[in-house]
Amino acid sequence: MLHLDIQSTLAKAITPSMGIPDQELTALRTSMKRHIDDYLRERTQGEHAWSMDPYDKQMLDRVKEVAMHAKAERIKTVVWIGIGGSGLGPKVIQEAFEGPDTVEFVVIDTIDPAMLQTYLDVIEWKSTLLVIASKSGDTLEPMSVFFLCYEELKKARKERAAERVVALTDPTSGYLHNFCLNENIQMLPIPTAVGGRYSIFTPVGLLPLALLGGDIGQFVRGAKEMDTQCQSNILNENPAALLAAVQYLLDTKKGYPVRVIMPYSQRLQSIARWNQQLIAESLGKKETANPIPLAAIGTQDQHSLLQQWMAGPRKTWHIFITELEKPRVIVPENLDRHWAEIAGKTFGQLVDACYEGTSRALTSAKRPHVTISLARLDEAHLGQLFFLFLVEVVLLGKVYRIDPYGQPAVETGKKITKDILSRGRTE
Ligand code: PA5
């Protein structure tokens, strides 16, 4: 099971004025217990529909079937089109599981013409499976790129193009849904009650994992294990509630509004961006106070952001994510004496030392941080991590009194963009 360590946020580690005193955490226990009970009761009434996705066996079986068919068809490349919740989760899965023995997995979440041109130049459409993921089926970026790629697929496969497309969308309505019915394109559902950034345990997360040869059973098992832990209404036994409590107290009582999410694992880089979206779109709804997320990555951002975190305004607190078991790659032995401390060490030891160095440096500067450690980066631990963050955001919604679902403020820009484009071609 993943482990959450909050010691370095506490007053006893970094002084009462900078860290959380025991009595503040204790004071939150009763209200957090009420929030957990409310969340559990609401679940039984059908709210928080995403939390039941890991239990949907039918969905698992359908995803497995699609993946088995792709294997039988000897698919070499998967082109996955999706943005926001429909792209960030699949990117996490791709970075964690793509390897020399898997299909090539290309996530296109851009409309940058230069990038699109490059994709068009290199993709071998005859052996490609095209996946379009859009819950609404109406988002400008993925839909425009889908139309582009579908044309390419049609050039390569003529009237058999539709057989090589899978669409993930709302099962009841939307442009994409109707388009697929007309074109006879296979669809997998993103359940109507599950919003984009909450969809990781629907085909949005399951299908990439299955296509990359991962074990989706283990992925949902991890989620269910975390679900069980997060049903405890005892603060110290519920990692999502504990993380939410730390987030809330550091922000509202200690004045740290910026939540830095920093995996010390390149393969987890995108989970920081996924969590950034989850926090920003779910909670960015109150001018007075809400967490401001910032995705970072170790060790690279030690060389860009750490200076600010160590000595700049005391506005940031940090979530580090580490994986304990790592592939064994070794620094050569025969180095100049100048490099004696690293000669013959594994790169895993180097990463661990960098993380520990940063963590201890922050503690010495009395800057709060937590660490989430995964025994290893496998399906089950990833399932635990995603589920942990999802429950946390719901509990944060309750403590901050913010509805975590929907993202109404995003619509203004979308509408203006549509108006601009409706005025006619600009080239
Ligand atoms: O969380 C959300 O709902 C959004 O970020 C969406 O995922 C994003 O806007 C993409 O939407 P769609 O999947 O409908 O194309």
Side-chain angles (χ1 to χ4, degrees):
M1 208 56 192
L2 63 72
H3 178 71
L4 169 68
D5 180 356
I6 66 157
Q7 288 309 309
S8 306
T9 63
L10 301 180
K12 45 186 176 255
I14 54 168
T15 77
S17 58
M18 312 288 178
I20 304 170
D22 281 348
Q23 55 275 28
E24 281 185 6
L25 211 49
T26 308
L28 203 62
R29 269 176 221 281
T30 318
S31 53
M32 197 52 96
K33 179 180 177 311
R34 198 183 61 246
H35 295 318
I36 297 163
D37 291 340
D38 286 348
Y39 154 65
L40 294 176
R41 181 179 36 77
E42 288 157 7
R43 262 179 92 170
T44 62
Q45 293 164 349
E47 289 180 48
H48 316 295
W50 59 265
S51 65
M52 296 313 291
D53 290 337
Y55 300 89
D56 189 340
K57 177 141 188 337
Q58 214 188 337
M59 185 123 82
L60 242 67
D61 290 342
R62 284 188 67 186
V63 166
K64 279 184 194 159
E65 259 172 48
V66 174
M68 268 161 54
H69 183 68
K71 203 172 174 188
E73 289 274 289
R74 296 182 196 280
I75 292 297
K76 292 206 181 92
T77 305
V78 174
V79 170
W80 185 285
I81 301 167
I83 204 163
S86 301
L88 288 166
K91 188 98 185 112
V92 178
I93 306 281
Q94 178 236 321
E95 287 173 1
F97 295 99
E98 190 178 23
D101 301 329
T102 68
V103 291
E104 176 191 30
F105 200 95
V106 183
V107 179
I108 308 186
D109 62 354
T110 177
I111 50 169
D112 182 324
M115 284 303 293
L116 293 175
Q117 188 58 60
T118 306
Y119 288 130
L120 293 185
D121 290 344
V122 298
I123 289 165
E124 175 47 77
W125 293 100
K126 282 207 167 107
S127 52
T128 290
L129 176 72
L130 182 60
V131 183
I132 165 72
S134 177
K135 166 75 193 297
S136 62
D138 206 25
T139 307
L140 180 143
E141 296 95 322
M143 288 305 291
S144 55
V145 175
F146 169 63
F147 294 133
L148 175 75
C149 293
Y150 191 41
E151 282 308 306
E152 292 301 312
L153 197 62
K154 283 202 277 197
K155 280 184 214 156
R157 295 205 21 112
K158 310 279 184 292
E159 65 285 350
R160 305 196 63 191
E163 294 167 11
R164 284 286 172 82
V165 183
V166 181
L168 276 51
T169 193
D170 190 296
T172 55
S173 62
Y175 183 89
L176 180 59
H177 173 82
N178 297 335
F179 181 87
C180 291
L181 289 179
N182 286 337
E183 293 278 314
N184 211 9
I185 288 173
Q186 169 165 214
M187 285 184 270
L188 286 173
I190 306 176
T192 306
V194 177
R197 59 191 174 277
Y198 293 88
S199 65
I200 192 68
F201 296 108
T202 73
V204 168
L206 301 179
L207 185 61
L209 186 55
L211 289 169
L212 284 163
D215 186 336
I216 56 177
Q218 290 297 319
F219 186 56
V220 297
R221 182 177 67 79
K224 289 185 215 168
E225 284 167 355
M226 184 53 70
D227 184 18
T228 305
Q229 281 212 4
C230 295
Q231 290 188 27
S232 168
N233 60 17
I234 300 163
L235 188 59
N236 283 347
E237 293 174 9
N238 181 329
L242 201 54
L243 190 57
V246 165
Q247 160 67 68
Y248 181 70
L249 293 173
L250 288 176
D251 178 13
T252 61
K253 304 274 188 223
K254 299 289 159 194
Y256 302 100
V258 181
R259 163 194 176 108
V260 176
I261 313 120
M262 184 169 178
Y264 267 81
S265 158
Q266 198 66 39
R267 293 185 302 157
L268 279 171
Q269 176 173 21
S270 288
I271 204 149
R273 294 199 61 228
W274 177 87
N275 189 243
Q276 174 175 263
Q277 185 220 7
L278 182 68
I279 295 287
E281 280 202 336
S282 303
L283 304 172
K285 294 168 183 166
K286 217 175 183 180
E287 286 191 14
T288 44
N290 64 216
I292 302 169
L294 174 66
I297 175 80
T299 68
Q300 291 91 324
D301 285 328
Q302 289 179 202
H303 303 271
S304 68
L305 299 168
L306 186 58
Q307 170 64 35
Q308 163 100 341
W309 298 338
M310 286 290 292
R314 291 183 178 273
K315 296 292 175 200
T316 57
W317 73 281
H318 306 258
I319 300 174
F320 296 123
I321 307 173
T322 61
E323 43 166 333
L324 303 181
E325 255 175 45
K326 297 184 256 306
R328 203 174 148 78
V329 181
I330 301 173
V331 180
E333 284 277 5
N334 54 343
L335 300 184
D336 185 278
R337 267 186 35 225
H338 180 81
W339 292 105
E341 77 273 16
I342 65 164
K345 295 247 163 65
T346 66
F347 278 89
Q349 286 173 307
L350 266 50
V351 173
D352 290 347
C354 289
Y355 150 69
E356 217 178 306
T358 304
S359 163
R360 284 208 223 160
L362 286 169
T363 304
S364 71
K366 314 217 175 306
R367 308 257 176 171
H369 54 281
V370 305
T371 299
I372 299 172
S373 11
L374 317 185
R376 70 197 67 82
L377 181 45
D378 59 10
E379 293 91 332
H381 285 89
L382 204 53
Q384 292 168 13
L385 189 57
F386 276 122
F387 206 92
L388 165 75
F389 282 136
L390 287 167
V391 180
E392 187 215 5
V393 86
V394 169
L395 296 177
L396 284 174
K398 295 190 180 299
V399 275
Y400 279 95
R401 297 175 191 276
I402 296 171
D403 177 0
Y405 299 113
Q407 59 283 341
V410 177
E411 297 309 315
T412 314
K414 279 193 195 166
K415 194 179 166 308
I416 298 171
T417 305
K418 213 166 187 158
D419 288 349
I420 295 169
L421 289 169
S422 306
R423 279 187 222 134
R425 287 170 191 268
T426 50
E427 286 180 331

